[in-house]
């Protein structure tokens, strides 16, 4: 029974294997590969990371079916070996991508950026296979992120207008929260009407550190 999740996962990947086989079988130019080597290199060095997490998701179900902790390494040995191979494979692909991009005429900065990203992903996968070590590494940034968020929150609460609105939400969220949400949507609508949809880029960029804080906090917990 514990092998069923892996069998289902392999079956779900069958269309991608067929596509890859046909892609390599037919001759001629390869759109997205020969005409965009930088994009192809980024995709290549990222595939092992996708497979790493794919195996981890299947292992969660398979381990549970085998009576083991779902967050542990895969109980099934072949899955554990394949997952372990993803980090060195990413490192090898990073070196190969650097050499290929240089031969394809890309700049040294672009080639180093792709190789650096690949080596970073390889390091993340190597650490992620050690749950205790990865938890320890995430705990410190999570605490720092929480302290920084609390400091920013206290500063925002002291602002004359926004702080008063947020304090009102804290006192009576059922009455104040819908009003503030509606005003926020209306303000964004006015900004879009005046400056176009590019005005939404600023709020989206402001939400990036918020999402990083949430991810670090959840990982630290």
């Amino acid at each position: 029974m514990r092998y069923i999740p892996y069998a289902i996962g392999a079956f779900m990947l069958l269309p991608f294997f067929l596509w890859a086989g046909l892609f390599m079988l037919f001759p001629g130019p390869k759109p997205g590969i020969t005409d965009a080597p930088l994009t192809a290199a980024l995709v290549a060095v990222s595939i092992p990371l996708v497979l790493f997490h794919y195996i981890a998701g299947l292992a969660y179900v398979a381990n549970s079916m085998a009576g083991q902790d779902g967050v542990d390494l895969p109980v099934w040995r072949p899955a554990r070996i394949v997952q372990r191979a993803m980090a060195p494979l990413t490192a090898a692909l990073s070196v190969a991508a650097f050499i290929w991009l240089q031969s394809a005429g890309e700049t040294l900065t672009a080639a180093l950026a792709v190789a650096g990203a690949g080596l970073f992903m390889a390091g993340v996968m190597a650490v992620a296979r050690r749950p205790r070590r990865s938890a320890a590494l995430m705990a410190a940034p999570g605490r720092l992120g929480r302290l920084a968020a609390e400091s920013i929150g206290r500063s925002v609460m002291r602002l004359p207008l926004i702080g008063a609105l947020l304090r009102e939400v804290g006192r009576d969220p059922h009455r104040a929260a819908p009003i503030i949400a509606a005003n926020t949507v209306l303000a964004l609508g006015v900004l879009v009407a005046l400056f176009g949809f590019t005005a939404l880029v600023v709020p989206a960029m402001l939400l990036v550190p918020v999402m990083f804080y949430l991810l670090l906090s959840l990982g630290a917990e």
Side-chain angles (χ1 to χ4, degrees):
M1 293 291 290
R2 62 183 180 180
Y3 309 119
I4 293 178
Y6 299 109
I8 296 174
F11 177 76
M12 293 175 64
L13 290 177
L14 184 60
F16 297 98
F17 291 135
L18 292 175
W19 174 85
L22 294 174
F23 187 82
M24 292 184 292
L25 180 64
F26 287 98
K30 308 295 185 183
I33 301 295
T34 56
D35 59 344
L38 186 60
T39 303
L42 285 171
V43 172
V45 299
S46 302
I47 288 176
L49 181 63
V50 176
L51 291 176
F52 181 91
H53 286 287
Y54 191 66
I55 294 172
L58 297 175
Y60 188 92
V61 180
N63 287 3
S64 300
M65 295 176 68
Q68 303 291 330
D69 193 343
V71 299
D72 286 342
L73 296 178
V75 175
W76 192 38
R77 190 167 180 268
R80 192 165 61 250
I81 292 174
V82 173
Q83 190 186 50
R84 185 187 299 121
M86 292 300 102
L89 177 60
T90 303
L93 287 175
S94 301
V95 176
F98 176 81
I99 297 172
W100 180 48
L101 290 175
Q102 284 286 279
S103 63
E106 295 289 340
T107 63
L108 179 61
T109 303
L112 287 174
V114 173
L119 293 176
F120 175 76
M121 288 187 285
V124 169
M125 285 185 280
V127 174
R129 283 185 53 81
R130 298 169 174 82
R132 292 182 180 179
R133 183 179 298 180
S134 61
L137 289 175
M138 293 181 68
R143 286 193 296 268
L144 292 176
R146 188 176 295 110
L147 291 174
E150 291 175 355
S151 300
I152 294 173
R154 286 193 294 268
S155 300
V156 171
M157 294 295 285
R158 293 192 181 97
L159 294 176
L161 179 60
I162 298 177
L165 293 174
L166 294 176
R167 288 193 297 270
E168 182 64 23
V169 171
R171 285 191 294 267
D172 191 357
H174 298 289
R175 182 182 66 85
I179 297 175
I180 293 178
N183 288 330
T184 302
V185 172
L186 291 174
L188 290 175
V190 171
L191 290 175
V192 170
L194 292 175
F195 305 104
F197 283 99
T198 54
L200 298 178
V201 173
V202 175
M205 294 298 293
L206 292 176
L207 287 176
V208 171
V210 176
M211 294 307 299
F212 271 111
Y213 163 69
L214 292 176
L215 290 173
L216 286 173
S217 297
L218 292 174
E221 293 296 335

PDB file of all heavy atoms in Angstrom, residues 9-24 51 54:
ATOM      1  N   GLY A   9       2.015   9.143  -8.481  1.00  0.00           N
ATOM      2  CA  GLY A   9       2.840  10.285  -8.862  1.00  0.00           C
ATOM      3  C   GLY A   9       3.554  10.072 -10.182  1.00  0.00           C
ATOM      4  O   GLY A   9       3.632  10.980 -11.014  1.00  0.00           O
ATOM      5  N   ALA A  10       4.067   8.852 -10.411  1.00  0.00           N
ATOM      6  CA  ALA A  10       4.727   8.561 -11.685  1.00  0.00           C
ATOM      7  C   ALA A  10       3.729   8.608 -12.837  1.00  0.00           C
ATOM      8  O   ALA A  10       4.040   9.093 -13.930  1.00  0.00           O
ATOM      9  CB  ALA A  10       5.399   7.195 -11.618  1.00  0.00           C
ATOM     10  N   PHE A  11       2.520   8.112 -12.598  1.00  0.00           N
ATOM     11  CA  PHE A  11       1.493   8.152 -13.647  1.00  0.00           C
ATOM     12  C   PHE A  11       1.124   9.592 -13.998  1.00  0.00           C
ATOM     13  O   PHE A  11       0.922   9.923 -15.169  1.00  0.00           O
ATOM     14  CB  PHE A  11       0.255   7.390 -13.182  1.00  0.00           C
ATOM     15  CG  PHE A  11      -0.884   7.446 -14.159  1.00  0.00           C
ATOM     16  CD1 PHE A  11      -0.865   6.678 -15.306  1.00  0.00           C
ATOM     17  CD2 PHE A  11      -1.965   8.273 -13.929  1.00  0.00           C
ATOM     18  CE1 PHE A  11      -1.908   6.732 -16.219  1.00  0.00           C
ATOM     19  CE2 PHE A  11      -3.016   8.341 -14.826  1.00  0.00           C
ATOM     20  CZ  PHE A  11      -2.984   7.564 -15.979  1.00  0.00           C
ATOM     21  N   MET A  12       1.058  10.461 -13.004  1.00  0.00           N
ATOM     22  CA  MET A  12       0.731  11.869 -13.271  1.00  0.00           C
ATOM     23  C   MET A  12       1.825  12.571 -14.071  1.00  0.00           C
ATOM     24  O   MET A  12       1.557  13.544 -14.787  1.00  0.00           O
ATOM     25  CB  MET A  12       0.495  12.599 -11.950  1.00  0.00           C
ATOM     26  CG  MET A  12      -0.753  12.137 -11.203  1.00  0.00           C
ATOM     27  SD  MET A  12      -0.939  12.917  -9.587  1.00  0.00           S
ATOM     28  CE  MET A  12      -1.164  14.625 -10.064  1.00  0.00           C
ATOM     29  N   LEU A  13       3.062  12.091 -13.971  1.00  0.00           N
ATOM     30  CA  LEU A  13       4.160  12.685 -14.726  1.00  0.00           C
ATOM     31  C   LEU A  13       4.293  12.113 -16.132  1.00  0.00           C
ATOM     32  O   LEU A  13       5.125  12.591 -16.907  1.00  0.00           O
ATOM     33  CB  LEU A  13       5.487  12.472 -13.983  1.00  0.00           C
ATOM     34  CG  LEU A  13       5.680  13.259 -12.681  1.00  0.00           C
ATOM     35  CD1 LEU A  13       7.010  12.881 -12.041  1.00  0.00           C
ATOM     36  CD2 LEU A  13       5.618  14.757 -12.931  1.00  0.00           C
ATOM     37  N   LEU A  14       3.494  11.093 -16.461  1.00  0.00           N
ATOM     38  CA  LEU A  14       3.604  10.450 -17.765  1.00  0.00           C
ATOM     39  C   LEU A  14       3.467  11.427 -18.937  1.00  0.00           C
ATOM     40  O   LEU A  14       4.260  11.339 -19.898  1.00  0.00           O
ATOM     41  CB  LEU A  14       2.562   9.328 -17.877  1.00  0.00           C
ATOM     42  CG  LEU A  14       2.605   8.489 -19.149  1.00  0.00           C
ATOM     43  CD1 LEU A  14       3.961   7.801 -19.287  1.00  0.00           C
ATOM     44  CD2 LEU A  14       1.477   7.452 -19.142  1.00  0.00           C
ATOM     45  N   PRO A  15       2.521  12.386 -18.932  1.00  0.00           N
ATOM     46  CA  PRO A  15       2.463  13.329 -20.066  1.00  0.00           C
ATOM     47  C   PRO A  15       3.741  14.138 -20.243  1.00  0.00           C
ATOM     48  O   PRO A  15       4.150  14.416 -21.382  1.00  0.00           O
ATOM     49  CB  PRO A  15       1.273  14.238 -19.703  1.00  0.00           C
ATOM     50  CG  PRO A  15       0.433  13.421 -18.784  1.00  0.00           C
ATOM     51  CD  PRO A  15       1.403  12.597 -17.998  1.00  0.00           C
ATOM     52  N   PHE A  16       4.400  14.492 -19.143  1.00  0.00           N
ATOM     53  CA  PHE A  16       5.640  15.256 -19.255  1.00  0.00           C
ATOM     54  C   PHE A  16       6.757  14.402 -19.845  1.00  0.00           C
ATOM     55  O   PHE A  16       7.569  14.890 -20.638  1.00  0.00           O
ATOM     56  CB  PHE A  16       6.046  15.793 -17.885  1.00  0.00           C
ATOM     57  CG  PHE A  16       5.065  16.754 -17.296  1.00  0.00           C
ATOM     58  CD1 PHE A  16       4.117  16.338 -16.367  1.00  0.00           C
ATOM     59  CD2 PHE A  16       5.072  18.092 -17.670  1.00  0.00           C
ATOM     60  CE1 PHE A  16       3.207  17.225 -15.831  1.00  0.00           C
ATOM     61  CE2 PHE A  16       4.165  18.988 -17.134  1.00  0.00           C
ATOM     62  CZ  PHE A  16       3.230  18.549 -16.217  1.00  0.00           C
ATOM     63  N   PHE A  17       6.804  13.115 -19.466  1.00  0.00           N
ATOM     64  CA  PHE A  17       7.801  12.226 -20.044  1.00  0.00           C
ATOM     65  C   PHE A  17       7.567  12.040 -21.543  1.00  0.00           C
ATOM     66  O   PHE A  17       8.514  12.027 -22.336  1.00  0.00           O
ATOM     67  CB  PHE A  17       7.780  10.868 -19.336  1.00  0.00           C
ATOM     68  CG  PHE A  17       8.275  10.922 -17.919  1.00  0.00           C
ATOM     69  CD1 PHE A  17       7.583  10.269 -16.906  1.00  0.00           C
ATOM     70  CD2 PHE A  17       9.416  11.620 -17.580  1.00  0.00           C
ATOM     71  CE1 PHE A  17       8.023  10.316 -15.601  1.00  0.00           C
ATOM     72  CE2 PHE A  17       9.879  11.676 -16.267  1.00  0.00           C
ATOM     73  CZ  PHE A  17       9.174  11.017 -15.282  1.00  0.00           C
ATOM     74  N   LEU A  18       6.303  11.891 -21.934  1.00  0.00           N
ATOM     75  CA  LEU A  18       5.986  11.759 -23.359  1.00  0.00           C
ATOM     76  C   LEU A  18       6.377  13.019 -24.116  1.00  0.00           C
ATOM     77  O   LEU A  18       6.955  12.958 -25.211  1.00  0.00           O
ATOM     78  CB  LEU A  18       4.493  11.460 -23.536  1.00  0.00           C
ATOM     79  CG  LEU A  18       4.013  10.088 -23.046  1.00  0.00           C
ATOM     80  CD1 LEU A  18       2.500   9.982 -23.171  1.00  0.00           C
ATOM     81  CD2 LEU A  18       4.691   8.975 -23.838  1.00  0.00           C
ATOM     82  N   TRP A  19       6.061  14.181 -23.535  1.00  0.00           N
ATOM     83  CA  TRP A  19       6.410  15.441 -24.191  1.00  0.00           C
ATOM     84  C   TRP A  19       7.919  15.575 -24.333  1.00  0.00           C
ATOM     85  O   TRP A  19       8.426  15.970 -25.392  1.00  0.00           O
ATOM     86  CB  TRP A  19       5.856  16.604 -23.384  1.00  0.00           C
ATOM     87  CG  TRP A  19       6.297  17.940 -23.911  1.00  0.00           C
ATOM     88  CD1 TRP A  19       5.733  18.662 -24.907  1.00  0.00           C
ATOM     89  CD2 TRP A  19       7.443  18.695 -23.471  1.00  0.00           C
ATOM     90  NE1 TRP A  19       6.433  19.830 -25.120  1.00  0.00           N
ATOM     91  CE2 TRP A  19       7.483  19.876 -24.257  1.00  0.00           C
ATOM     92  CE3 TRP A  19       8.406  18.486 -22.501  1.00  0.00           C
ATOM     93  CZ2 TRP A  19       8.461  20.840 -24.083  1.00  0.00           C
ATOM     94  CZ3 TRP A  19       9.399  19.450 -22.330  1.00  0.00           C
ATOM     95  CH2 TRP A  19       9.415  20.607 -23.114  1.00  0.00           C
ATOM     96  N   ALA A  20       8.662  15.242 -23.281  1.00  0.00           N
ATOM     97  CA  ALA A  20      10.120  15.355 -23.340  1.00  0.00           C
ATOM     98  C   ALA A  20      10.708  14.396 -24.372  1.00  0.00           C
ATOM     99  O   ALA A  20      11.622  14.754 -25.120  1.00  0.00           O
ATOM    100  CB  ALA A  20      10.718  15.086 -21.960  1.00  0.00           C
ATOM    101  N   GLY A  21      10.161  13.175 -24.432  1.00  0.00           N
ATOM    102  CA  GLY A  21      10.655  12.220 -25.412  1.00  0.00           C
ATOM    103  C   GLY A  21      10.398  12.662 -26.841  1.00  0.00           C
ATOM    104  O   GLY A  21      11.297  12.598 -27.694  1.00  0.00           O
ATOM    105  N   LEU A  22       9.194  13.139 -27.112  1.00  0.00           N
ATOM    106  CA  LEU A  22       8.882  13.621 -28.457  1.00  0.00           C
ATOM    107  C   LEU A  22       9.673  14.877 -28.794  1.00  0.00           C
ATOM    108  O   LEU A  22      10.083  15.086 -29.941  1.00  0.00           O
ATOM    109  CB  LEU A  22       7.373  13.889 -28.569  1.00  0.00           C
ATOM    110  CG  LEU A  22       6.471  12.666 -28.481  1.00  0.00           C
ATOM    111  CD1 LEU A  22       5.004  13.087 -28.451  1.00  0.00           C
ATOM    112  CD2 LEU A  22       6.720  11.712 -29.643  1.00  0.00           C
ATOM    113  N   PHE A  23       9.897  15.721 -27.785  1.00  0.00           N
ATOM    114  CA  PHE A  23      10.653  16.953 -28.003  1.00  0.00           C
ATOM    115  C   PHE A  23      12.084  16.644 -28.441  1.00  0.00           C
ATOM    116  O   PHE A  23      12.640  17.313 -29.314  1.00  0.00           O
ATOM    117  CB  PHE A  23      10.655  17.775 -26.719  1.00  0.00           C
ATOM    118  CG  PHE A  23      11.256  19.146 -26.860  1.00  0.00           C
ATOM    119  CD1 PHE A  23      10.515  20.202 -27.369  1.00  0.00           C
ATOM    120  CD2 PHE A  23      12.568  19.383 -26.491  1.00  0.00           C
ATOM    121  CE1 PHE A  23      11.066  21.470 -27.502  1.00  0.00           C
ATOM    122  CE2 PHE A  23      13.127  20.645 -26.616  1.00  0.00           C
ATOM    123  CZ  PHE A  23      12.375  21.683 -27.126  1.00  0.00           C
ATOM    124  N   MET A  24      12.683  15.625 -27.834  1.00  0.00           N
ATOM    125  CA  MET A  24      14.054  15.266 -28.185  1.00  0.00           C
ATOM    126  C   MET A  24      14.117  14.399 -29.435  1.00  0.00           C
ATOM    127  O   MET A  24      15.129  14.373 -30.130  1.00  0.00           O
ATOM    128  CB  MET A  24      14.713  14.533 -27.005  1.00  0.00           C
ATOM    129  CG  MET A  24      14.953  15.406 -25.782  1.00  0.00           C
ATOM    130  SD  MET A  24      15.825  14.551 -24.454  1.00  0.00           S
ATOM    131  CE  MET A  24      14.580  13.347 -23.950  1.00  0.00           C
ATOM    132  N   LEU A  51      11.208  18.340  -8.491  1.00  0.00           N
ATOM    133  CA  LEU A  51      11.127  16.907  -8.224  1.00  0.00           C
ATOM    134  C   LEU A  51      11.375  16.599  -6.747  1.00  0.00           C
ATOM    135  O   LEU A  51      10.764  15.689  -6.179  1.00  0.00           O
ATOM    136  CB  LEU A  51      12.137  16.163  -9.091  1.00  0.00           C
ATOM    137  CG  LEU A  51      11.849  16.150 -10.598  1.00  0.00           C
ATOM    138  CD1 LEU A  51      12.979  15.457 -11.345  1.00  0.00           C
ATOM    139  CD2 LEU A  51      10.517  15.468 -10.884  1.00  0.00           C
ATOM    140  N   TYR A  54       8.235  17.336  -5.027  1.00  0.00           N
ATOM    141  CA  TYR A  54       7.228  16.378  -5.490  1.00  0.00           C
ATOM    142  C   TYR A  54       7.381  15.054  -4.745  1.00  0.00           C
ATOM    143  O   TYR A  54       6.401  14.482  -4.261  1.00  0.00           O
ATOM    144  CB  TYR A  54       7.384  16.169  -6.995  1.00  0.00           C
ATOM    145  CG  TYR A  54       6.252  15.419  -7.651  1.00  0.00           C
ATOM    146  CD1 TYR A  54       4.981  15.968  -7.708  1.00  0.00           C
ATOM    147  CD2 TYR A  54       6.474  14.180  -8.232  1.00  0.00           C
ATOM    148  CE1 TYR A  54       3.943  15.288  -8.309  1.00  0.00           C
ATOM    149  CE2 TYR A  54       5.447  13.498  -8.844  1.00  0.00           C
ATOM    150  CZ  TYR A  54       4.184  14.053  -8.887  1.00  0.00           C
ATOM    151  OH  TYR A  54       3.153  13.367  -9.488  1.00  0.00           O
TER     152      TYR A  54
END
